[in-house]
């Protein structure tokens, strides 16, 4: 059985560290990033709610320009917290980027450096976490 590993040198910029590993400014930036992400997900939920009760025979589309503008601005702020040219490697707004999707699909293991594997024996078996598809999600 063939396994694939990917080294992503930019990965440390995407990892949420625990409180004791962060400087105060890093922790503040991580919290702000998490807040921006939650805000973006809320805006997208609000957009979906606008369309939810719309009838199929409706002739006028709802005015969602302000909501779309807020989503675009929030996405830009979120992306600006990462690389100034292309933003996050793993996300595009609240969705996975193409690179993130490809990494999740094809890499059995990914790390920022191959050195991270030095303490594991050669026979160690890494296992991916089980994921559900949307229709299998549990109701809270």
């Amino acid at each position: 059985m063939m396994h694939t590993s990917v080294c992503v040198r930019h990965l440390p910029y995407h990892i949420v560290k625990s409180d004791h590993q962060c400087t105060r400014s890093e922790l503040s930036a991580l919290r702000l990033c998490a807040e921006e992400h939650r805000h973006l997900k809320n805006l997208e939920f609000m957009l979906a709610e606008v369309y939810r009760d719309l009838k199929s025979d409706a002739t006028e589309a709802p005015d969602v320009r302000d909501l779309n503008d807020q989503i675009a601005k929030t996405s830009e702020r979120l992306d600006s917290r990462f690389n100034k040219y292309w933003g996050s490697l793993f996300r595009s707004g609240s969705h996975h980027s193409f690179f993130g999707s490809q990494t999740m699909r094809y890499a059995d293991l990914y790390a920022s450096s191959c050195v991270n594997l030095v303490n594991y024996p050669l026979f160690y078996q890494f296992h991916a976490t089980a994921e559900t598809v949307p229709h299998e999600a549990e109701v809270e």
Side-chain angles (χ1 to χ4, degrees), residues 82-100:
F82 298 100
N83 186 286
K84 66 180 179 179
Y85 298 110
W86 59 78
S88 171
L89 283 177
F90 292 93
R91 290 210 168 269
S92 177
S94 65
H95 305 285
H96 293 288
S97 68
F98 182 69
F99 177 79

Side-chain angles (χ1 to χ4, degrees), residues 10-45:
H10 200 70
L11 189 61
Y13 299 106
H14 295 267
I15 296 174
V16 177
K17 302 173 187 175
S18 61
D19 292 358
H20 68 278
Q21 294 175 319
C22 290
T23 65
R24 200 170 271 159
S25 64
E26 286 175 324
L27 189 58
S28 175
L30 288 171
R31 285 186 179 138
L32 197 55
C33 189
E35 287 173 18
E36 291 284 356
H37 194 262
R38 271 192 302 276
H39 181 62
L40 181 60
K41 301 247 334 151
N42 287 337
L43 289 171
E44 289 177 345
F45 176 79

Side-chain angles (χ1 to χ4, degrees), residues 20 23 26-27 34 41 46 55 58 61-63 67 69 72 80 86 93 100 116 122 126 131 133:
H20 68 278
T23 65
E26 286 175 324
L27 189 58
K41 301 247 334 151
M46 289 166 54
K55 304 277 189 257
D63 185 12
L67 206 45
D69 288 343
S80 72
W86 59 78
N116 294 350
L122 294 176
F126 293 94
E131 292 188 28
V133 288

